[in-house]
Every structure is written in structure tokens, then in C-alpha cells.
Amino acid sequence: SSGINAEYGGSAPSRLPNTSNFSIRGTRSRDVLSRVAFTASRGAACHSDRETPSPVLLRSGVTVEDALSSIRISFGRDSTLHDAEFAVTELTRALGKHEN
């Protein structure tokens, strides 16, 4: 276990298969993403450049705290398992956590 307190967003029928949105509780997504070597977005796609919680996430029932710690990662046709593993490794490193 990594010790990271994360909450996965969206139910399978209502989400895009290549996009994951999750909140890492106790963090701010802007701070976390400033320490990783890949590109991702904060919150909802239409709100990633703002400091306030995404109204889209709030309307979907996400708490203010989870909205502010929300990270959205999308993968494309050319993405590989290595890309996904790299993202997990980078997030873990940025959070100062170590896999056991």
C-alpha cells in the first residue's frame, strides 16, 4: 500500500474510457502537478486554469476539498502501459510516498 488517500471520480457508465479523475486528499492538485514530469490537468477540463473548485465537479457531488485536490489524466491511442506506470511513479514521488 502506498499510504496515499485517494478517491476515484466518476462511475464507469458515465466516464470516458481514456480519462481518469481522482482526488488525492490532503493535497492541492496545483502543488502536486508542479512536481511531476508529465502533463495532467486539475479538476474538470473546462476549469483547469483556475484556483477555485470546478463548478462541474461540485455539481456532480464532489466536495470542495476533493475538487481542489482533483487531478485529471487522459491517455491517447499511442499511450502505453509504461506511460501509465510512469504517471503513478511520478505522483508517488511528488507526494513523498514510497511503495512497500
Side-chain angles (χ1 to χ4, degrees), residues 27-40:
T27 69
R28 288 293 181 258
S29 54
R30 181 177 294 277
D31 297 335
V32 173
L33 292 177
S34 73
R35 298 189 302 261
V36 297
F38 66 91
T39 302

Side-chain angles (χ1 to χ4, degrees), residues 27-94:
T27 69
R28 288 293 181 258
S29 54
R30 181 177 294 277
D31 297 335
V32 173
L33 292 177
S34 73
R35 298 189 302 261
V36 297
F38 66 91
T39 302
S41 299
R42 298 181 308 113
C46 56
H47 195 79
S48 62
D49 63 337
R50 300 192 187 127
E51 291 290 333
T52 58
S54 162
V56 172
L57 292 177
L58 296 175
R59 281 193 301 273
S60 70
V62 172
T63 66
V64 169
E65 188 68 24
D66 283 349
L68 289 171
S69 66
S70 181
I71 295 173
R72 184 176 48 83
I73 298 177
S74 298
F75 294 94
R77 177 177 291 134
D78 296 327
S79 297
T80 65
L81 177 59
H82 174 75
D83 296 329
E85 291 170 340
F86 179 76
V88 170
T89 299
E90 280 291 292
L91 286 168
T92 302
R93 182 192 56 75

